[in-house]
Amino acid sequence: MSMKEKKMLMIVCDGLSDRPVKEFDRKTPLQVARKPAMDAVARHGMCGVMDVIAPGVIPGSDTAHLALFGYDPYTAYSGRGPIEAAGAGLEVRKGDVAFRCNFATVDPTLVVTDRRAGRIKSGTDELAKALSGLMIEDVEVLFKEGSEHRGALLFRGPGLDPRVTDADPHHEGKVLESRGLVPEAEKTARVLNEFVRMSHRLLDSSRVNVERKSAGLPPANIVLPRGAGGLGDLESMPSMYGTKCAAVAGVTLVKGLCRLVGMDVVDVPGATGGLDTDYKAKGDAALRALESYDLVFMNIKASDIAGHDGDFRLKVQVIENIDSMLANMLDDMHEDVVVVLTADHSTPVSVRDHSADPVPVAISGGGARIDHVKEFDEMSVASGALGRIRGRDLMPIVMGVADRAKKFGA
Amino acid sequence: MSMKEKKMLMIVCDGLSDRPVKEFDRKTPLQVARKPAMDAVARHGMCGVMDVIAPGVIPGSDTAHLALFGYDPYTAYSGRGPIEAAGAGLEVRKGDVAFRCNFATVDPTLVVTDRRAGRIKSGTDELAKALSGLMIEDVEVLFKEGSEHRGALLFRGPGLDPRVTDADPHHEGKVLESRGLVPEAEKTARVLNEFVRMSHRLLDSSRVNVERKSAGLPPANIVLPRGAGGLGDLESMPSMYGTKCAAVAGVTLVKGLCRLVGMDVVDVPGATGGLDTDYKAKGDAALRALESYDLVFMNIKASDIAGHDGDFRLKVQVIENIDSMLANMLDDMHEDVVVVLTADHSTPVSVRDHSADPVPVAISGGGARIDHVKEFDEMSVASGALGRIRGRDLMPIVMGVADRAKKFGA
């Protein structure tokens, strides 16, 4: 890193922003919470509102993070498969096709009787090993178990195409034959169908399932893939921005996405992605990562959970917890670090789900301008110097503030 | 001009905007300078911030002005050659291919021994005449000297294509053979190579160089072209907007660009493009041009120079000089004139170079709305009625305010 280029810390509070709630004086949780550290970022920097995808589009956590990382979510994104695969720890390369999977129970005629194999708790690592490393035609098969009945499947070989239908019937019933939606994807569908049949043959007689059957539990005797996807034109963040990037996140989906875009995911014991997450451990891990990385990204999931729960007071409490973590981090941080504070989408307690409302954003440090905004909430930030931006523009703006932008022209 | 349509004055203060500087109470030069005339434009009109190219992209002066004139800089721009040629006074037409050139010194084996021919100060006009008017195959050659060792070359004829490599080796060493980067450009490369060889034959024995050699100076005995470019899809501004356009600028690059887009460039004695420029002469020239043109564009370079020098106090002084000029102009101007005040990019004194920070913009007069913004600086304008816009949108907005916009639909 040259003297001039600044380090960057990007904190995404999942589902943070909200709508006014009548019973709370028509305020949002951000307006009610005591959050001196968040306000300090706003006060020492510049603020704005952000349509993470586009005005009136409700972002998913996956598409939102792609946009926040500077990608066009409409072209970079092709199905959940690759994100789940990367989240499970498989390396996804260009040309690979990946799937999310369930371990399920089928009868001898391949009719699904339990789509989650009795929410199987253990043994899937052994089942996954039996499936990984297979060759079907000239296609290499990689498989990794996830939590409970979940797993990720990856095909690697020539001539693959993710445009195939699911083998998973999505409810009890006959296992589906996958079809190619375009002629180029026929090989992939053929290999997928063969894989599903092989998974039944290999798993049904496995030690794990023999034991499950004798214990009266539904055997995990087939794999049902869905959500086929490939990498598209995804250039890695380190290559796009010329930066070393690390991620601190608790949720598998976000971790997977971070790996997909080329971030190193820091393992933080106690970072659960839940309400019980160890905020201090996450903050400390991010600060340590800042020593050796140019850009450190943090996702804190708890605010989204409080929104989904529809619990205003809980969301206020989560915001205050995040603020305490941030206060400690700001105390120990070099003042030259560019700090970005925002959300991936709104999860209003009155909606109990993601909404299309734009999110607040504040950028301080580095070359950030200092506007008149003193508080970090949905309303205060709207008259700030950033104006109204799109999620995709955030990372270029941050690179500019960190003196890492590129010149176009003379 | 119908009764309804307003005249337009667009003042671009080069590199004007900045970042907060700690030693100056975390203010920018615009926030520190006394600038009642600029503030009056803000107070009587509407303000906003502008990403001249796009968020997080550092604009060059060339791409920035293309965007400010309403062009897509990514498609309109094809190399510096045409801009330099137009700046030197050559008329560039569609299909032409133009180059920036150096007069240089080569030994008899065509190895460059001085890329600037000893920074030759005089005689290049005579050398240029010897090269201009040549025919190579069916291609007409036009050549014009620039300042010192610089010059511009233009090819006009059928089947030309700018996608060729430079003949200029960019350092001492063997003169390069140009190659076509695509089959369509092979003819252009062939003609260019022949031109370079001819330039050596014609110049080596010229009167100017015989004299230089006898005076012990390196002869300007070859021309080294680089930066091939064509006009792309550039429609002229008069045709695009139905307006007569004039430009008042001191810098060759900006003058060239203005000529390229079809503006008449007004010659102003004393407009140097430097810190010593004659502000009053420029202001008077712009006012006179407003009598016969619909749109008058002004570029004032001094603010950019102060930014590159990293001199906060100098930048404040330049801003106050520009403000005095503007005050005189506003005094003498019809109140119906739409005044646009902005910058082509930021050149923060802390960066000493262009940055990606957006620029302030104010539009007053004509149908401009009047917002609450009272001061023209990076922070105050951000909450104005224009919001955050892109450079390419400025000219259409200005045309709208001047009642010159076109209707789409019924």
Side-chain angles (χ1 to χ4, degrees):
Chain A
M1 194 183 89
S2 91
M3 284 289 292
K4 216 180 120 208
E5 296 166 344
K6 313 294 187 303
K7 299 212 171 197
M8 299 159 284
L9 172 69
M10 182 174 179
I11 304 176
V12 173
C13 307
D14 213 295
L16 176 70
S17 42
D18 215 292
R19 295 177 175 179
V21 175
K22 207 174 182 179
E23 295 72 27
F24 290 88
D25 204 16
R26 298 191 189 273
K27 290 188 169 165
T28 67
L30 266 178
Q31 287 179 305
V32 167
R34 271 200 74 254
K35 43 169 187 29
M38 292 186 183
D39 292 343
V41 176
R43 199 168 57 249
H44 296 140
M46 53 187 181
C47 295
V49 289
M50 179 163 65
D51 297 294
V52 179
I53 308 289
V57 177
I58 303 176
S61 277
D62 44 5
T63 54
H65 280 87
L66 278 169
L68 294 179
F69 295 158
Y71 297 93
D72 177 352
Y74 289 100
T75 62
Y77 186 70
S78 95
R80 276 281 285 277
I83 300 174
E84 296 289 331
L90 293 172
E91 186 205 350
V92 186
R93 302 183 192 159
K94 245 172 226 192
D96 293 350
V97 173
F99 304 81
R100 322 168 61 179
C101 300
N102 275 12
F103 285 101
T105 308
V106 287
D107 70 16
T109 65
L110 293 194
V111 167
V112 179
T113 55
D114 185 334
R115 239 187 109 244
R116 297 181 185 84
R119 289 194 180 269
I120 179 169
K121 292 279 182 296
S122 65
T124 55
D125 51 345
E126 194 176 319
L127 299 176
K129 275 204 193 86
L131 301 171
S132 205
L134 297 173
M135 288 295 295
I136 301 176
E137 300 184 19
D138 53 359
V139 175
E140 188 185 353
V141 175
L142 300 167
F143 195 93
K144 192 85 169 65
E145 75 283 3
S147 58
E148 298 189 334
H149 54 281
R150 301 180 189 91
L153 167 68
L154 187 141
F155 288 165
R156 179 168 296 154
L160 296 172
D161 190 300
R163 290 170 286 178
V164 296
T165 61
D166 293 346
D168 183 347
H170 291 263
H171 44 68
E172 272 60 62
K174 184 84 182 157
V175 173
L176 300 177
E177 281 282 304
S178 173
R179 288 174 297 104
L181 296 167
V182 292
E184 301 91 299
E186 273 167 22
K187 173 182 175 180
T188 308
R190 191 171 68 233
V191 171
L192 182 63
N193 291 326
E194 180 56 27
F195 169 79
V196 172
R197 283 189 290 271
M198 283 175 80
S199 77
H200 180 54
R201 280 202 305 277
L202 288 165
L203 300 183
D204 197 43
S205 56
S206 68
R207 192 193 59 84
V208 171
N209 281 326
V210 169
E211 286 181 15
R212 285 181 72 82
K213 286 179 208 167
S214 67
L217 294 169
N221 63 358
I222 199 163
V223 168
L224 299 178
R226 67 185 194 277
L231 272 196
D233 288 326
L234 213 67
E235 188 186 352
S236 83
M237 284 183 75
S239 142
M240 238 176 10
Y241 301 117
T243 54
K244 267 187 80 186
C245 307
V248 176
V251 185
T252 309
L253 174 72
V254 176
K255 281 183 180 173
L257 196 63
C258 290
R259 286 202 188 98
L260 267 194
V261 299
M263 291 185 180
D264 291 339
V265 176
V266 179
D267 209 23
V268 184
T272 60
L275 291 167
D276 60 342
T277 198
D278 186 338
Y279 291 98
K280 177 146 183 6
K282 281 186 95 155
D284 290 348
L287 283 188
R288 267 197 311 278
L290 263 180
E291 291 167 17
S292 44
Y293 288 88
D294 306 314
L295 167 67
V296 175
F297 158 78
M298 290 183 81
N299 172 286
I300 297 136
K301 183 70 176 171
S303 36
D304 184 52
I305 298 171
H308 280 286
D309 286 354
D311 189 333
F312 192 99
R313 285 191 183 85
L314 176 62
K315 199 162 178 183
V316 169
Q317 183 56 54
V318 167
I319 291 167
E320 296 185 347
N321 290 344
I322 297 173
D323 198 77
S324 300
M325 177 198 75
L326 181 60
N328 287 331
M329 295 177 73
L330 295 177
D331 275 351
D332 293 341
M333 208 184 298
H334 193 283
E335 69 163 353
D336 252 7
V337 175
V338 175
V339 178
V340 185
L341 180 62
T342 189
D344 58 344
H345 53 75
S346 303
T347 307
V349 293
S350 58
V351 178
R352 292 171 164 253
D353 204 345
H354 301 191
S355 76
D357 306 293
V359 302
V361 54
I363 305 175
S364 73
R369 290 176 176 163
I370 301 165
D371 62 25
H372 67 96
V373 178
K374 305 267 183 277
E375 289 176 333
F376 185 77
D377 62 60
E378 300 84 348
M379 272 47 85
S380 302
V381 298
S383 62
L386 276 174
R388 184 169 186 142
I389 62 174
R390 297 230 180 171
R392 264 194 87 180
D393 295 326
L394 179 64
M395 197 53 81
I397 289 171
V398 171
M399 291 291 158
V401 170
D403 290 319
R404 293 169 179 271
K406 293 187 188 84
K407 193 172 181 178
F408 172 52
Chain B
M1 193 182 91
S2 91
M3 285 288 292
K4 214 180 121 206
E5 296 166 344
K6 313 294 186 304
K7 298 214 171 195
M8 298 160 284
L9 172 68
M10 181 174 178
I11 304 176
V12 173
C13 306
D14 212 295
L16 175 70
S17 41
D18 215 293
R19 294 176 175 181
V21 175
K22 209 174 182 178
E23 295 71 28
F24 290 87
D25 204 19
R26 297 192 189 273
K27 292 190 168 163
T28 66
L30 266 177
Q31 287 180 303
V32 167
R34 273 200 71 255
K35 43 170 188 24
M38 292 187 183
D39 292 343
V41 175
R43 198 168 56 249
H44 297 140
M46 55 187 180
C47 294
V49 288
M50 180 163 64
D51 296 294
V52 178
I53 307 289
V57 177
I58 302 176
S61 277
D62 43 7
T63 52
H65 280 86
L66 278 170
L68 295 178
F69 297 157
Y71 297 94
D72 177 353
Y74 289 99
T75 60
Y77 186 71
S78 95
R80 276 283 283 278
I83 300 174
E84 296 289 331
L90 293 170
E91 185 205 350
V92 186
R93 302 183 193 160
K94 244 171 227 193
D96 294 349
V97 172
F99 304 83
R100 324 167 61 178
C101 300
N102 275 12
F103 285 101
T105 308
V106 287
D107 70 16
T109 66
L110 293 195
V111 166
V112 179
T113 56
D114 186 334
R115 240 188 109 242
R116 296 179 185 86
R119 290 195 179 271
I120 181 169
K121 293 279 182 295
S122 65
T124 54
D125 51 345
E126 195 176 318
L127 298 176
K129 276 204 191 87
L131 300 171
S132 205
L134 297 172
M135 289 294 294
I136 301 177
E137 300 182 18
D138 53 0
V139 174
E140 187 186 353
V141 175
L142 300 167
F143 196 93
K144 193 82 170 66
E145 75 283 1
S147 59
E148 299 189 333
H149 55 280
R150 300 179 190 90
L153 167 67
L154 188 142
F155 290 164
R156 179 169 296 153
L160 295 172
D161 190 299
R163 289 170 287 178
V164 296
T165 61
D166 293 346
D168 183 347
H170 291 263
H171 45 67
E172 272 60 61
K174 186 85 182 154
V175 174
L176 301 177
E177 282 282 305
S178 173
R179 289 174 298 103
L181 295 168
V182 291
E184 301 91 299
E186 274 167 23
K187 174 183 176 179
T188 309
R190 191 172 66 232
V191 171
L192 183 63
N193 291 325
E194 180 57 26
F195 169 79
V196 173
R197 284 189 289 272
M198 284 175 80
S199 77
H200 180 53
R201 281 203 303 279
L202 289 166
L203 300 184
D204 197 42
S205 56
S206 68
R207 192 193 59 84
V208 171
N209 281 326
V210 169
E211 285 182 15
R212 286 182 70 81
K213 286 178 207 167
S214 66
L217 294 169
N221 63 359
I222 200 163
V223 168
L224 299 177
R226 67 184 193 276
L231 274 195
D233 288 327
L234 215 65
E235 187 186 354
S236 83
M237 284 182 73
S239 143
M240 240 178 4
Y241 301 117
T243 54
K244 267 186 78 184
C245 306
V248 176
V251 186
T252 309
L253 175 72
V254 176
K255 281 182 181 173
L257 196 64
C258 290
R259 287 204 187 96
L260 268 193
V261 299
M263 293 187 180
D264 291 338
V265 176
V266 179
D267 209 24
V268 185
T272 60
L275 291 167
D276 60 342
T277 199
D278 186 340
Y279 292 98
K280 177 146 185 7
K282 281 186 95 156
D284 290 347
L287 283 188
R288 268 196 312 279
L290 263 181
E291 291 166 16
S292 44
Y293 288 88
D294 305 314
L295 168 67
V296 175
F297 159 77
M298 289 183 82
N299 173 285
I300 297 136
K301 182 71 177 172
S303 36
D304 184 53
I305 297 171
H308 280 285
D309 285 354
D311 191 334
F312 192 100
R313 287 192 182 84
L314 177 62
K315 199 162 180 184
V316 170
Q317 183 57 54
V318 166
I319 291 166
E320 297 184 347
N321 290 343
I322 297 173
D323 198 76
S324 301
M325 177 198 76
L326 181 60
N328 287 330
M329 295 176 73
L330 294 177
D331 275 351
D332 293 342
M333 209 184 299
H334 193 283
E335 68 163 354
D336 252 5
V337 175
V338 175
V339 177
V340 186
L341 180 61
T342 189
D344 57 344
H345 52 76
S346 302
T347 307
V349 293
S350 59
V351 178
R352 292 171 162 251
D353 205 344
H354 302 190
S355 76
D357 306 294
V359 302
V361 53
I363 305 175
S364 73
R369 292 177 177 164
I370 299 165
D371 62 25
H372 68 97
V373 178
K374 305 265 181 280
E375 289 175 333
F376 185 77
D377 63 60
E378 299 86 347
M379 268 52 82
S380 303
V381 297
S383 61
L386 277 173
R388 183 167 188 144
I389 63 172
R390 297 229 178 171
R392 266 195 86 179
D393 294 327
L394 179 64
M395 196 54 79
I397 290 172
V398 172
M399 291 292 158
V401 171
D403 291 318
R404 293 169 178 274
K406 294 186 189 84
K407 192 174 183 178
F408 173 54

